[in-house]
Structures are given as structure tokens and as C-alpha cells.
Amino acid sequence: MKKKLVSCLISFTLLSSLSTPLLAKAQENTEDIKGSLVIAGGGIGTSNHEIYEKFLSLAGGKEKAKVGIIPAASTTLQSSEKFKEDLVKYGANSDSIKILPVSNHDFSDTQKDESTWKNQVNDKKLSRTIKGLTAVWFVGGDQTKIVDSLRQNNGSDSEALKAIWDIYRKGAVIGGTSAGAAIMSDVMITGGDSLGALKDSLENKENKHVSKNQRSQKEYEPLSIQKGLGFFQHGIIDQHMDERARLGRLAVAAYTSERDKEKNFAYGVDEDTAMVVNNKDQKIEVVGRSGVAVLDMSKAELVSKQKARSGLENIKVSYLSPGDKINYHLKSFEFPKERVETKGFEYYSFNALPATGVFTPYGRLKAYLSYSLVDNESMKSAKSYVYDSKGSGYEIAFQKDNDTNGYWRYTDGQKDDYSIVNVKMDITPKTFKFQPDRKTSLTYKKPTFSSSESPAYDSIKGNLLIAGGALGSSNSSVYNKFIDLAGGKQAKIGIVPAASTKFDSSNQFKGDLIKYGVKAENIEILPISNHDFKGTSENESTWKTNMNSDKLAQKVKGLTGIWFVGGDQTMITDSLRNENGSDSKVLQAIWDTYKNGAVLGGTSAGAAIMSNTMLAGGDSYGALSYGFTNTYDDMNQQEGGPAYLEKGLGFFQYGLVDQHFDNKARLGRLIATAYEKGNKNQLSYGIDEDTAMVVNNKEKQIEVVGRGGITLVDLAKVQANDKFPSDYKNILISCITPGDKVNLTTKEIVINPAKTSTRKNEYYSEKVGPNTGLFSPHGVLRKFLAYDLVDNAQSKEIKSYAFNQNKGFELTFRKSAESNGYWAYTDGQKDDYSIVKVALDIKPIDVDIR
């Protein structure tokens, strides 16, 4: 059974004002602790070897580790049994791992009545068992159940909890995920979201105590806290930080605590990530796949802005990545030597839009601050918003300060990895009013681009593997699929480097293929380019003539796989087409090879070139607001503005393809392009990063492979307002994930049979507010539609907004007669959703912010 995303508001101690004193410390005299902590933000994937191996190492090593798992937070024993299985998979001895009888409630998946375990927490036998352990792990669920199970009715520590403290002091590691992370600090956050924390604590309101039943009728949940177990004595811990956008609630909780405000950072741990606390060295290391948000509240101020409403100013936000370290005693950071400072060397230079909802590029906090502010020389400040459906909310302003900096490196192949320090954050109360736009002042231009259709081939024997960008070297499913389609480990593969300005990505991909078993002598970087490459002695711009080389064309015909790396898609097409627009000899050879059975693959720019009409620039807001442009301005055009189209190479015969779909929120530009230039009887496809769409031309079917999803846009029933641009009704949106398939001609979606339908079996039943920006939970489109709509019995429709200054769009996602959701756990206990045929209406609006 799925874990509840929102902690139940039962017997909580609620914050009643900003003057609430710090809750009593859980333990004194913690200076002598020899043990460590592994505090995970939730959603740990079974494949996340960094966290599992770190935990076992701190527990004494795989052979010596003796682990006790505390199941108290969960309603079932499933997550405890799964964690035990994972530890055994990573080399631990099964006989040395015990699920401890600690609970205050019965479990739904057993015959026993585990509620009787509450009486055993003072049992000497249990204490002796715990004292023989080298590690204790708390699974996720409801953190209040952990505390209630280990504390006595008078609030004192049980013998079991004393035993845990005893082994921790002597050197054991204490770990936990989700609820098991929340219990780690003295101040334990037990409920609330960012908007609820801000509204409940920064506005003078009566009747702040909200029952569980009342919560289901409200769009936001007030902050609630309770006394934690206090294993970590140096700040407040929050979890699910990125997925549930909890920075606002962490800021309020930290501001409330005078001790934590002045002396300590506050920490928000992302999913699939852990902060590893070394008490001896007084340092924290970030381990896993995402990051840890760090708040410095020492100079934060409560500022009155409106009648009965206040804001918070002068908060410092940092966001650390795996490999970074925090000296929590000195409140300083350490970064690996390979990280490069961005200050004074910013890579990007574009005008970033405010973060307003699911159409915002880089819609999660760390990514938004990285690309749109810290590594962007054009930006000094950036804004986001959060508000309820009545328009009452806050503006969140992020600003570069004198001590603001970023640190960048590639990780896991060629994925950008950023760390951010000391971004100033101010939270100001605002009111928002949205009204239909009756007379737009925006100049929408229809596309003048026209592309002759590529010839349709019914007899293509080859396949396509179209990756959405940021392909991780560790993404074995995508690499193995490409190699398999190319003929296995004997494959002969050519890499086309033309999209990039350096050979790094081509060399990286070659190295990855070798790692996955392809012979080095069977892989060649093909001399195809229209420009010189940095860092080489040769002038590769002379390769432009190679497009009509008979020798190179003959070599291409001998390949079983061809790969196009990422970069600028226009450089690929310019390197393979003659000046009159005709196909070069090498492009003709690629087509011949493809028709005869070779696989063609590409990532990012190498994906964009696959369809006949190639999306080469623009963002969602720009395409819907301004339409299309005939000019191309490299980075600025790739990062925003009106859409720019060119003729692609047309290998994919069944519709439009777009990429970086989740990270760059390109649904709007794909809809605009599909409406203006697409075939409305075909689907359009938006491919997420680290994910591939595998096209089987023989079966006329696609399959999702990798770590993200593919968004399907169906305009067959769309209604548009010809007198008003970008006014659409009845767009059908589907989101599919690995294991799902689609028939390219019938458009039938076949969902992975491991998933169960959510229709009439919705897990959630809550009223939800609009998705507004970086403080809104589930900032990625698929997660927003899954949690807030298709798996929520109370939701018939949900809204998001995209706007800049006083103009924008209201997005209404509706359950249609054909809508359904499909759910399963994947990679450990991560929720994995597929969504079928949600209806979307887009309405132009005027925006008034006061």
C-alpha cells in the first residue's frame, strides 16, 4: 500500500505564533557521540548504491554489520522487509538484520497484532538486542508513530530508546528515511506545506488548530511540530525537500526556533539523497542523487508588509550536491576540487522568466537557481510565487549577494551538477488576481516555416532510440537497448559529433559504449561538422565538405548503429544538408543504413533532428505568447522566447519530437508547434531527460526506456479560438513511463501490466491549490497530474499558471471520460505513475499582483 504523502494531523503540537519557544531538547551532553547518522530524504531507490554502501560501511562493513530495522512509522511491514532485502543485496548477512518489535499500532499485512509491541519497549530482552547492534534504521511513514512508540506516556525515554542512544554514543550508525529522517532533530516537523506554514505563522489568524478532516477541505496545511528524538543536535531536519517544495515551511520552522536561528543551519534533504553526519569531525557529507538545501536564518527578519500579514527577509539559501561537505560547527562548506566556480565565469546569458508553475523551465529549486540565476550573467535576481485559489499568497525573491556563488561540474556522464551558496531570499505577502485576457497586447506570429514532407517509408527495417538529453553513463537500460538494437557487442557504431563545440560528449559516449561491452575498434567518431572544435589542433570546420565524401558515405553504410550527440541541432542539419537543402551523400547513406536495419540514436539535439519539423528554439511561455520567429540566436533562443523551427532529418515518421521535456517544461511549445505545423491525427512526443523513446518501425510501436517519462500530446479533439491565439480547449495529455508502450498508428497506449489503475481507487482525497512555482509540491508535470489529479478522489480539475509581469496563461487540467492513472512502486519504494488522457484547456489571462 502506498505511503501517505501528508502526515496526519493527529495529536500534533501546533505552532501558535512566531514566539513559540524551542521544544525541550531530546538529549543533553552530545559532545561525546562516536556514532554517525545517515539521514535520507525519502524515496531511496534500491539502485542508489552510494547510500546503501555508506550505511553498511558506517555499520562496520558488510560482513560485520548488525542492523536493527524499526518499522514503527509504517502501516505495513513491507518497507522494512524491502530494506532488509536491499541490505542483503548489497552484501550484508541476512541473519544479522532484524526487524525490531517497535510499534504503537497493528500492521495491515500480518496475522499478528503488533499494537502489543508498545508494551515491549521497556523489555530487557529488546534492550539487550539493540545493544548488540552496530546500526539502527527507521523506515518511512508517520514520524509521530516512531516517537510515540519509543517514548513513554510521560514523555520520558523508553529502555529501547536509551539502548539506541547508548550504541549511538559508542559508535553505531543511526539512519532513517522520510519519517525516519524527520525524527532525527529536536524540533521535529510533523506536518504542513510551504504555503500553509507561511499563511498560518505570518498572518494574524484565529482558530489555527486544524483537524485532519478540516485539512482535506483546505488547499494548504499549517506547519506543525513536535519533540523529535534529537540524534542530530545542530539544526532542524526536513525531508522530501525538492519533490514537495518544503523550503518555505523549513524557513518558518527555523525562524521560530531562536536557538536554531542564531546558531545552526536548517537542512532540507531531497529524495533519493542523504546527509551523512560525522559527529567526531563535526561535518556532514551529501550522498546520493540530488541535494540538500541549507538555510541560514541568523540575519532573517520578520517584516510587516500588509495589514495583518508579514514577510521574512534576509534568509540565505544554499543548495549542496553529492560530494559536498558542511562543517556544521563553523557553518561553512567544502567542495570537491573538480568543481568550477561560476562567479565571474557564468556560462549562461539569457533573461529567465519567473518561476510560476509547470510551464517554468528548471521548475525545481536547485535547477532554477542554478540556470536562471547563479550561472546566468544576465540575471541579478529572480522571482517565484505561491498562493491559494483565492489569490492570497507570497512573492519569493531570490537575489545574488556579495557572497553568492555557484560550483559546477559534470556528473554521471554529461549531466550538469551544481552547488549553490548564499542566495538571498525574501518572502513578501502579495495578492494575485487573474482575469481573462480580452484584448492581448502581445504580438503573436504564426510560423512562416514550411517543410516539405520527408518521404514515408513502409519498409524501414531499422529502429530509433531517441533520448531526451542528460543521459547518465549509469543508465544501463538505455545503453544496453541501443547496443542490442545495433547488433549486440559486435556492433559497429559511428558517432556524429556535429552538434557540440567540443569532442568531450563524443569521447564520453564512446567510453560508455566500451564500458557496456562494445569493442573500441568498432566505434568511430565520424568527421562530420560545420565548425571547428575547441581544444584540438585540427580545424574541423574543413569537415563541412565531408558530407559529400564517397569514402565516408561508404563507411557509413557499413555501420549497424549511428549516434548523434547533443548540443545545437541546427549544426547537425547544416553539416548533413547541401546549401540548396538537398540531402548530402552521407545523409543519403545514413538513410540507406537505417532502412536496411541499423539503429539511429541521439540525445538532446540528437533527438530534435529526428522528426521532419525540428523544434530548435523557444520555451512554452514564449511560444504561446509570441508564436514563432524566423531568427535564431543560439543560447537565448534555446532557453526562451518564441519558437524557432527548421527542417529536421525526418527519421521519425509519426509526429513531432521534443526533448529536455521535464527539466525545460516544454509542453507549451510542443502544443503550439503541433497545432500550427503538426498532423492532428498523430501524437506529439515530449521526452524527459535520462529517458529514451525506442521506435520499432516494424511493429509501429514505441516503448519508454530509462528513468523519466514521455509526454504525449493529442490534438485530435482540440478546439481553438481563431480570433485569439493560444486559446485552446480539449488538448489530451498522457504521460507514460518505462515499460509502457504506444501504437504509432492507432495511438493506443499499453500500460506496464505491473501497474494498477487509480480510477475509482484513488489513494488521496484532498483539496489542492494551484501549482504556482518553486514552493508548490510536485513541480514536474507528471507528478503534478499524478498526485493532485488522477490519484486524488476530490480533484476533478487542477490549475497552474504561467505568466510574466501582467500577461500569462491559465492551465486547467481536467479528468475526462477517458482519464485514468496507473501506479506501481519502482526502484525500491518510489511511486511510479502513468497518466492517460487528461484534458487540458489553456486560457490567456491578465495578471494583477499587489
Side-chain angles (χ1 to χ4, degrees), residues 5-6 193 215 219 243-244 358 762-772 775-800 813-815 833 835 838:
L5 284 184
V6 181
D193 52 40
R215 163 65 188 107
E219 298 174 358
E243 178 59 41
R244 301 184 196 175
V358 293
E762 292 88 352
Y763 185 74
Y764 304 102
S765 183
E766 295 169 353
K767 190 173 182 180
V768 296
N771 187 285
T772 58
F775 277 16
S776 287
H778 319 305
V780 174
L781 176 69
R782 176 164 52 95
K783 299 292 186 71
F784 173 54
L785 296 181
Y787 292 114
D788 287 359
L789 184 63
V790 298
D791 204 15
N792 188 344
Q794 208 173 133
S795 289
K796 304 301 180 191
E797 65 178 36
I798 53 177
K799 294 183 184 294
S800 181
F813 297 91
R814 298 180 282 107
K815 286 178 179 173
Y833 282 97
I835 296 136
V838 166

Side-chain angles (χ1 to χ4, degrees), residues 37-50:
L37 299 171
V38 176
I39 305 173
I44 301 177
T46 301
S47 62
N48 193 329
H49 64 89
E50 293 93 346

Side-chain angles (χ1 to χ4, degrees), residues 535-547:
T536 68
S537 57
E538 185 175 356
N539 181 3
E540 289 84 7
S541 64
T542 61
W543 288 0
K544 174 103 176 181
T545 59
N546 288 348
M547 71 170 75

Side-chain angles (χ1 to χ4, degrees), residues 106 217 267:
D106 190 23
Q217 303 304 315
Y267 304 87

